[in-house]
Amino acid sequence: SLGMENTHFHDDHKHVVARRAAGYRRLDEGGFEISMTTLDMVGDGGLLTTVDDLLAWDRSFTDDPLGIVPTMLTRGTLNGGEQISYAFGLGAGSYRGLTTVRHGGAFVGFRADILRFPEQRFSVICLCNVAQSRPSTLANQVAEVFLGELMEPEAEPAPDAAAETGAEAEPFDPALLDDYPGSYRVEPELLLEITREGDRLFGTPDDGDRRELHPAGSDRFEVPSLSATLTFERSEAGDVSGLVIDFGSRRTTAPRVSDRPLAGDELAPYAGTYFNEELNANYLFSLEEGKLRVRVGRRLPEDVVVRESGHGGCELGTIRFERSGNGQVAGFVLQAGRVRNLRFVRR
């Protein structure tokens, strides 16, 4: 009824779609690679649309022919009484003093954001096909061009210490490279391993890909493919005690911990078949050439990191192995994005 003729749920990945954009991911070493899905899925990640069709969708919220917008903008309330910004599928908030309604999305090489200013009857629709894009930031910038005169002054950025004193940023000293390798706890279930190869530094989360860290000053590194900055912190004695990760508007502090990855025969106790009743699925862990690998259905085997504490992970997510009273590995708990506490028992 909205006339969205170029929008559909893509439940057949072999279906040819005219003028379809490909998704890309920027590589650390330069260039790009295709980042697409072959999943036959609907809902999150399975909707194909256009900017023109989304304009029709956006106008329906202004006209509200079904009278559902007030319900969709009803914010959730936590058990403690605190009201959150997320409503029924929409984020209700404000930007520089103006009321906003927005929602973003991310899947493989695609990023999207729709930002509405209902009181000004103004919307920004931003669709991107590079994984490192920041559509929310771009949408904000477009809104500032048209509505800037109505907005509150932009908050002043925190002063940079070097700029404040007129000094130049301290250059990077390659002699410090040995200070950084080790394990850093980014989240309770997720660790980041920093390693050195020659004069190059790399970071590998237990559940993700290895990325090179490029020097950007004293104890400071950048990851261009993620548009992220890592700053190592030091104790009073001068030892590296942790790092601060700046990724977009999010800042995470990761303390350095003693929880090394296991290798070789140390991984043998974790090999076996693990079963989850809810999924009715077996995950097969096997020790191959000194590495622990997991096989799930027809997926290619994936390397698994296991640490002394029993924490670890792979591309599936983060894993916490559990032991029985006699010390034997009895199962594990998987955290995979929005999937939380999925428990597997050893067979």
Side-chain angles (χ1 to χ4, degrees), residues 309-324:
S309 63
H311 286 77
C314 58
E315 289 186 10
L316 294 172
T318 58
I319 294 172
R320 184 182 73 251
F321 284 95
E322 298 178 325
R323 294 181 179 269
S324 60

Side-chain angles (χ1 to χ4, degrees), residues 51-274:
V51 171
D52 288 338
D53 277 12
L54 287 176
L55 175 60
W57 173 262
D58 177 78
R59 285 174 175 168
S60 73
F61 283 87
T62 300
D63 303 333
D64 195 16
L66 300 179
I68 61 174
V69 170
T71 299
M72 295 182 70
L73 294 178
T74 302
R75 300 186 183 191
T77 303
L78 302 179
N79 292 339
E82 178 186 356
Q83 191 177 57
I84 61 176
S85 62
Y86 200 69
F88 283 79
L90 296 172
S94 64
Y95 181 70
R96 291 183 56 184
L98 301 182
T99 300
T100 61
V101 179
R102 81 184 311 162
H103 204 295
F107 185 55
V108 288
F110 299 98
R111 300 292 183 268
D113 189 76
I114 299 181
L115 171 62
R116 298 180 59 239
F117 293 83
E119 295 174 0
Q120 286 72 37
R121 297 174 65 90
F122 180 86
S123 299
V124 181
I125 299 168
C126 186
L127 305 181
C128 305
N129 64 331
V130 175
Q132 290 81 12
S133 301
R134 295 184 179 182
S136 296
T137 299
L138 295 173
N140 290 344
Q141 292 172 346
V142 171
E144 289 171 354
V145 172
F146 290 89
L147 303 178
E149 294 182 355
L150 303 177
M151 294 179 175
E152 294 178 352
E154 190 171 5
E156 291 292 331
D160 179 77
E164 203 172 64
T165 60
E168 294 184 4
E170 186 178 348
F172 174 71
D173 182 1
L176 299 176
L177 281 174
D178 282 333
D179 292 355
Y180 308 120
S183 303
Y184 299 80
R185 190 174 300 282
V186 180
E187 297 176 2
E189 304 280 353
L190 177 63
L191 282 89
L192 174 69
E193 192 70 16
I194 302 296
T195 56
R196 176 182 180 179
E197 294 184 11
D199 288 335
R200 302 168 71 188
L201 207 63
F202 296 87
T204 310
D206 287 349
D207 65 345
D209 298 328
R210 187 177 78 155
R211 309 275 182 169
E212 184 172 359
L213 279 58
H214 299 269
S218 179
D219 290 337
R220 185 170 177 268
F221 295 81
E222 293 180 348
V223 185
S225 61
L226 297 178
S227 298
T229 301
L230 280 68
T231 305
F232 289 89
E233 296 184 315
R234 294 181 180 270
S235 64
E236 293 183 0
D239 300 321
V240 173
S241 57
L243 62 83
V244 175
I245 304 172
D246 288 297
F247 179 60
S249 60
R250 180 181 178 185
R251 168 167 286 192
T252 301
T253 300
R256 192 172 192 170
V257 297
S258 298
D259 195 1
R260 69 174 181 85
L262 303 180
D265 292 340
E266 294 177 313
L267 295 167
Y270 300 92
T273 300
Y274 299 79

